Amino acid sequence: MEIARNVEEIKKKVVEACGRAGRDPQEVKVLAASKTRTPSEIREAFKAGVELFGENRVQEARDKIPALKELPVEWHLIGHLQTNKVKYAVKLFDVIETVDRKKLVDELEKRLSQLGKVMRVFIEVKLSPEETKHGCSPEEVESLARYVLAKEHLKLEGLMTVPPYLENPEDVRPYFRKLREIRDSLQDKLGIPLPHLSMGMSHDFEVAIEEGATIVRIGTAIFGERRY
Ligand SMILES: *Cc1c(COP(=O)(O)O)cnc(C)c1O
């Protein structure tokens, strides 16, 4: 019941944030970040109305996604993708949100063409210099986007970012705004629509929605504190 109540509370906040920003709530999807969660917790979130799920690690997804194949949900990879895991990732996921380098694009295209599958992808952009975070720099995005667009089996749909954790969600706002500005200018330069902005987590998703998020990735606020 806890999970259902949490999801309901989040959806209410999504609607309110959309109201403040003059946006249509239909434009914003809640993705449940389900790392460390069990299949039964994931089923509960699905029953409560969550349609998108995100996993961080390919190995964990290999154990979990096949066990949940009866659920009509979308699986997103939201963690760093190592090149040697691409052969598994292309089979498991519907969307890869963390494309951040050309070598990864090459490997994805190779494996996807073998499978005969087209993958929806986002480019992960790193907006702060912290060395621990993955993602391409804002300066590299255009070149990487053009590289992705040239591949037959990749469909570029937007951008994703993991900003630094800052206590006050208002302090994260400039990062969300920056990702939207990068997206807007990229759309102009490339002349194609890039509808998705995946940004915002449990403690700052309302601000992210005010700045244009179409996918908010929420773990703790749905499932409670993570147990490792
Ligand atoms: C875990 C995770 C989230 C969700 O974080 P919470 O703070 O638990 O909501 C979102 N995005 C990514 C990439 C994550 O790894």
Side-chain angles (χ1 to χ4, degrees), residues 4-31:
R5 218 174 33 236
N6 291 344
V7 169
E8 195 180 326
E9 189 63 29
I10 289 161
K11 291 205 166 180
K12 207 169 79 194
K13 288 181 176 164
V14 168
V15 171
E16 287 165 1
C18 285
R20 289 193 296 278
R23 300 183 59 198
D24 177 357
Q26 307 268 39
E27 286 174 16
V28 182
K29 291 258 191 298
V30 172
L31 174 148

Side-chain angles (χ1 to χ4, degrees), residues 10 67 110 128-129 135 140 150 164 167 180 191 200:
I10 289 161
K110 177 180 144 197
S128 61
E140 295 166 330
E167 203 66 47
R180 187 191 56 201

Side-chain angles (χ1 to χ4, degrees), residues 31-35 37 54-56 77-80 97-98 124 160-162 165 198 200-205 216-226 228:
L31 174 148
S34 51
K35 57 178 177 278
R37 313 301 176 172
E55 284 288 331
N56 287 69
L77 179 65
I78 62 173
H80 180 65
E97 296 201 8
T98 51
E124 179 177 6
M160 178 270 204
T161 197
V162 183
Y165 179 90
S198 173
M201 321 209 292
S202 288
H203 88 296
D204 57 16
F205 72 90
V216 288
R217 307 178 309 266
I218 302 183
T220 334
I222 292 179
F223 299 108
E225 289 301 322
R226 273 182 288 280
Y228 283 99

Side-chain angles (χ1 to χ4, degrees), residues 7-132:
V7 169
E8 195 180 326
E9 189 63 29
I10 289 161
K11 291 205 166 180
K12 207 169 79 194
K13 288 181 176 164
V14 168
V15 171
E16 287 165 1
C18 285
R20 289 193 296 278
R23 300 183 59 198
D24 177 357
Q26 307 268 39
E27 286 174 16
V28 182
K29 291 258 191 298
V30 172
L31 174 148
S34 51
K35 57 178 177 278
T36 78
R37 313 301 176 172
T38 62
S40 92
E41 289 173 298
I42 291 170
R43 282 196 191 91
E44 224 178 302
F46 168 71
K47 278 194 208 125
V50 178
E51 299 164 339
L52 273 53
F53 289 84
E55 284 288 331
N56 287 69
R57 294 174 59 241
V58 172
Q59 188 50 54
E60 188 176 339
R62 286 180 78 192
D63 297 334
K64 220 184 274 181
I65 296 178
L68 290 161
K69 62 175 183 300
E70 83 279 5
L71 294 189
V73 300
E74 246 175 59
W75 286 99
H76 291 220
L77 179 65
I78 62 173
H80 180 65
L81 180 53
Q82 289 173 276
T83 313
N84 63 356
K85 298 283 165 57
V86 167
K87 57 180 177 291
Y88 308 113
V90 291
K91 292 185 182 156
L92 292 164
F93 292 97
D94 302 298
V95 180
I96 292 181
E97 296 201 8
T98 51
V99 172
D100 64 354
R101 58 201 190 279
K102 289 179 179 172
K103 187 160 170 275
L104 178 61
V105 172
D106 288 336
E107 184 65 15
L108 281 165
E109 176 63 19
K110 177 180 144 197
R111 298 291 178 176
L112 287 162
S113 65
Q114 287 167 0
L115 266 187
K117 174 176 174 178
V118 173
M119 180 72 77
R120 300 163 53 202
V121 300
F122 303 168
I123 289 177
E124 179 177 6
V125 185
K126 177 168 132 168
L127 298 174
S128 61
E130 294 160 72
E131 273 316 311
T132 53

